[in-house]
Amino acid sequence: MEPRGFLTRLLECAFLFAFSAWLIRTAVRCLIEVWPVLAVIAILALIGTIGWRVYRHWRDTGQW
């Protein structure tokens, strides 16, 4: 394996940095598009969990 020059390593680093920035930007755009759906799913899961806890407590003890 031959040693790489400073310019080659600098260009490789710049390319990887630009590629990483592009990937992060793409992921953020995707997340911005789907966040309302994810929020609705989280709210439904929270309501379901709270409802289940209340139901189990009410059923097991017979009182609140």
Side-chain angles (χ1 to χ4, degrees):
M1 184 172 200
E2 52 185 79
R4 294 185 288 182
F6 175 72
L7 184 60
T8 305
R9 288 176 36 186
L10 184 66
L11 287 174
E12 181 181 356
C13 181
F15 172 75
L16 286 176
F17 181 76
F19 185 64
S20 298
W22 179 76
L23 282 177
I24 291 171
R25 184 175 166 217
T26 304
V28 168
R29 282 185 175 179
C30 181
L31 209 61
I32 286 173
E33 283 185 23
V34 299
W35 83 264
V37 176
L38 294 175
V40 167
I41 292 171
I43 290 170
L44 289 175
L46 184 64
I47 290 171
T49 302
I50 291 171
W52 176 251
R53 292 278 194 162
V54 168
Y55 168 74
R56 292 295 294 175
H57 179 73
W58 200 6
R59 183 172 167 236
D60 288 345
T61 60
Q63 61 183 353
W64 187 249

